[in-house]
Amino acid sequence: MDKYLTLLSFGPEGWGDELLSGALVTISVALATLPFGLALGLGVALAKRSDNRLLRAVGTAYTTIFRGVPELLTLYIIYFGVQVLVQALWKGLGLPGTIELSPFVSGVVALGIVLGAFSAEVWLGALNAVHKGQREAAAALGLSKAQTFRLVVLPQVFRVALPGLGNNWMVLLKETSLVSVITLQDTMFIATRANVTTKEPFLFFGVAMLIYLFFSVISATGLSRIEARTNRAYAPAGGRRP
Amino acid sequence: MRWCEAPGAWIGLEVLQNYGCRMISGLWLTIELVLISFTLGLVIGLALALLRLNGPRPLAMLITGYMTFFRGTPLLGQLFLIYYGLGSFRLFWQDVGLWWLFREPYYCCLLAFTANTAAYQAEIFRGAFLALPRGQTEAAEALGLNRIATYWTVLLPQAMITALRPLGNELIVMIKASALASLVTLFDLMGATKLAFARSFDLNIYLVAALLYLGLVEIIRRIWDAMERRLTRHLVLH
C-alpha cells in the first residue's frame, strides 16, 4: 500500500504532480475546443438552413463526413496531412524558417471540427424549434435580420440546444484522451508514461479513469444546474420546482 | 494480381494497390469486432436495463455504478486498463485459467468494446422503458399477463421503437470507436491504414480509409431506416 501512495505522491518519486498537470491539459484541450467547435457548429447549422443550395450542400457534406469518420482518423489527417499542407503553403509564400502545427493546436482543430459536425445537428434542431412567429414579430418590430438573430432567436435557441450541447461536451471530454496519441501530454499520455516507467499499469490507468470520471460527474452536475436555471421560466404550473 | 489489389491499380493509386489486401482484411476485422461487441452489448445492455429497473436495490445500484463508470470515462482508457492493467496480473489469470483472454489484444478489445457499448445500450433501453406510459403495464396486468409476458409482448416492442434510433447511433459510434483497436497492435482498418502510411508516406491512404468508414456508416444508416419503417408500419408517420 505504501508503495502505491509513494507512486501517487507529489514529488520527485511520485507521479501525483505529473497526473495533475495531465488533468489540466485534458481540461484545457476540452475548454479550448468548446468555443471553436460550437461556433463552427452554429455556422454549419445556419449554412444547412440557408436558401443557397451550394451552402446547404457544403453543410450537409461537412456533417456527413465528420460524423462518419473515426475521430482518431480525423486527428491523424489533421496532424499529418494539414501539417504537410501548412508547410507547403509556408514555403510557397517564401516565408523564412519552418512552421509546425503543435500537437495542442492539431488536437484542438481536429476535435473542434468533429464537435462542429455533431453540435451542428443540435443547433439545427434547436433553430427549427423556434416558432416562425418569433421571427415575424421581430420583423414587425423593425429589427434587422442580425438583430433578430442575436436578440430574439439565439436566446431561445440556446435554451432548447443546451441538453444536446451538454451531451456534446461530455463526449468531447472523453474524446480528448485521443490527443495522447499525437504526444500531447494529457492524462492518458501521463498514465502511459508512468506505466512504462513503473510497470504499474492497473494503478495508473485506474487513476486516469478516476480523473475522467471526476470531470464527467462534475460536468453532469453543472449541466443539470444550468439547465434548471435556463428552464426556470418554463416550470409547469403547480409542478415541482427543479 | 489478386482482386484486392484491383481498385488501387484501377484508379492508379500505388499505395492502395500495394496495401489493398491489408486494407480489406483490416476492414473485415473492424466489421467483426463491431458486430460481435455490439451484439453482445445488445443482450447485456437489455439485461442490465431490466435488472436496474426491476432488480433488488443493491443490484440496481451496482449496475448504476457500472454504467456511470463506463459512460463517464474514455473508451481508450478502458481499453488500456483492460489490456495493460488487467493484463499485468498474469499469474492470477493463469491460476484461474483466463490468461488466454488477457494475453490477446483481440479479446481485450472485444471485452472493452462490449463492456462499453453494453453500458450505453443499457442507458438507451432504460430510457425507452421509462418513456412508456404506465397504463401499458397496468393494462397487461389487468389482462393477467405475467411479468415476462408483459415485457416480451407489450413493453419491449414499444420500447424498441424509441430505442431503435439511438441504438443505430450507438452502432455508428462503435464503428468509429473500433479504430482504437489499432492502438493495441491490432490491424483493423485503422491499423492497416497506419501501417500503409508509415511505409509509403502517402497521405491518400488516410482518405481511402475515411471513405471506407463513411461507406460502412452509410450502409448502417440505410439498414436502420428500413428497420424503422418496418417497426413503425402500424403507425401513421409518413
Side-chain angles (χ1 to χ4, degrees):
Chain A
M1 195 62 210
D2 268 0
K3 185 178 127 203
Y4 295 129
L5 286 180
T6 316
L7 280 175
L8 291 177
S9 67
F10 287 71
E13 269 156 59
W15 288 82
D17 40 347
E18 280 88 348
L19 281 166
L20 187 67
S21 79
L24 287 178
V25 170
T26 291
I27 202 74
S28 324
V29 171
L31 285 176
T33 307
L34 190 68
F36 166 53
L38 289 188
L40 190 61
L42 183 58
V44 172
L46 290 174
K48 282 180 97 165
R49 278 172 60 94
S50 96
D51 299 325
N52 186 328
R53 266 179 64 182
L54 181 70
L55 269 180
R56 275 207 310 271
V58 170
T60 308
Y62 177 87
T63 51
T64 309
I65 291 173
F66 289 106
R67 289 191 315 148
V69 171
E71 292 76 11
L72 190 59
L73 186 54
T74 307
L75 188 64
Y76 281 133
I77 291 178
I78 300 288
Y79 188 57
F80 296 118
V82 174
Q83 193 87 266
V84 173
L85 280 181
V86 166
Q87 277 161 8
L89 193 70
W90 191 263
K91 236 182 205 164
L93 290 172
L95 293 164
T98 55
I99 185 172
E100 216 171 290
L101 284 186
S102 71
F104 187 87
V105 172
S106 305
V108 167
V109 169
L111 292 174
I113 287 175
V114 176
L115 176 62
F118 279 92
S119 66
E121 298 296 319
V122 176
W123 286 120
L124 193 61
L127 282 166
N128 288 337
V130 176
H131 200 273
K132 207 175 148 198
Q134 297 283 339
R135 286 192 182 79
E136 290 170 357
L141 284 171
L143 294 177
S144 72
K145 256 191 147 173
Q147 280 174 323
T148 305
F149 184 71
R150 192 165 53 86
L151 300 172
V152 179
V153 177
L154 207 53
Q156 302 185 58
V157 161
F158 193 68
R159 185 182 70 85
V160 181
L162 198 61
L165 297 181
N167 260 340
N168 289 153
W169 164 256
M170 304 288 281
V171 173
L172 169 67
L173 206 53
K174 288 173 273 168
E175 255 167 22
T176 57
S177 63
L178 295 179
V179 297
S180 61
V181 304
I182 55 167
T183 71
L184 191 58
Q185 312 207 339
D186 75 328
T187 313
M188 274 313 284
F189 186 90
I190 302 289
T192 310
R193 224 182 51 194
N195 165 35
V196 170
T197 314
T198 63
K199 302 276 178 273
E200 288 289 351
F202 194 76
L203 175 72
F204 284 108
F205 288 122
V207 170
M209 292 296 89
L210 290 182
I211 291 174
Y212 284 105
L213 201 57
F214 172 75
F215 285 141
S216 291
V217 171
I218 293 274
S219 302
T221 321
L223 279 167
S224 67
R225 282 210 183 161
I226 301 175
E227 261 169 53
R229 196 178 152 70
T230 53
N231 280 319
R232 68 197 186 285
Y234 294 82
R240 228 158 51 89
R241 295 262 159 202
Chain B
M1 187 168 76
R2 281 178 294 172
W3 66 271
C4 42
E5 290 168 357
W10 189 55
I11 59 171
L13 189 59
E14 202 189 347
V15 59
L16 185 57
Q17 189 181 345
N18 292 341
Y19 294 94
C21 297
R22 281 176 182 273
M23 296 288 280
I24 293 289
S25 63
L27 179 65
W28 180 241
L29 180 58
T30 292
I31 294 174
E32 187 183 314
L33 282 171
V34 171
L35 277 189
I36 297 177
S37 55
F38 185 80
T39 314
L40 289 175
L42 191 73
V43 178
I44 300 171
L46 182 57
L48 288 178
L50 291 176
L51 285 173
R52 183 169 161 184
L53 289 172
N54 300 302
R57 224 179 123 70
L59 185 64
M61 280 168 68
L62 204 68
I63 292 174
T64 308
Y66 169 87
M67 286 164 67
T68 309
F69 179 81
F70 278 96
R71 293 174 63 238
T73 59
L75 177 57
L76 177 63
Q78 294 157 19
L79 182 60
F80 281 5
L81 190 64
I82 289 174
Y83 180 59
Y84 294 112
L86 292 181
S88 67
F89 306 125
R90 178 174 176 171
L91 291 175
F92 173 75
W93 297 122
Q94 280 174 335
D95 278 350
V96 295
L98 278 174
W99 178 233
W100 57 271
L101 198 159
F102 291 99
R103 189 186 54 193
E104 289 292 330
Y106 176 79
Y107 291 121
C108 288
C109 257
L110 276 184
L111 186 60
F113 291 176
T114 305
N116 181 275
T117 192
Y120 280 95
Q121 294 189 51
E123 184 64 26
I124 293 170
F125 279 119
R126 194 179 77 94
F129 281 122
L130 285 177
L132 292 176
R134 212 183 143 68
Q136 295 289 336
T137 322
E138 290 169 354
E141 237 169 68
L143 285 171
L145 295 179
N146 63 24
R147 245 184 155 175
I148 294 173
T150 303
Y151 263 101
W152 187 247
T153 60
V154 179
L155 300 181
L156 188 60
Q158 299 185 71
M160 273 316 284
I161 297 175
T162 325
L164 193 66
R165 263 297 119 195
L167 284 178
N169 289 340
E170 173 61 18
L171 179 55
I172 289 171
V173 167
M174 280 314 290
I175 291 177
K176 298 192 299 163
S178 71
L180 295 179
S182 65
L183 298 177
V184 288
T185 72
L186 286 183
F187 287 103
D188 69 325
L189 181 51
M190 189 72 213
T193 309
K194 270 166 67 183
L195 178 83
F197 177 70
R199 293 199 187 156
S200 68
F201 288 108
D202 188 345
L203 274 164
N204 285 316
I205 199 69
Y206 277 129
L207 300 182
V208 172
L211 282 178
L212 287 172
Y213 276 112
L214 276 178
L216 271 184
V217 169
E218 185 60 24
I219 291 170
I220 299 298
R221 222 172 54 82
R222 293 197 177 200
I223 294 176
W224 239 256
D225 281 347
M227 289 210 302
E228 187 162 58
R229 272 198 304 277
R230 186 172 160 76
L231 264 184
T232 57
R233 65 197 185 281
H234 61 290
L235 301 171
V236 188
L237 293 176
H238 311 289

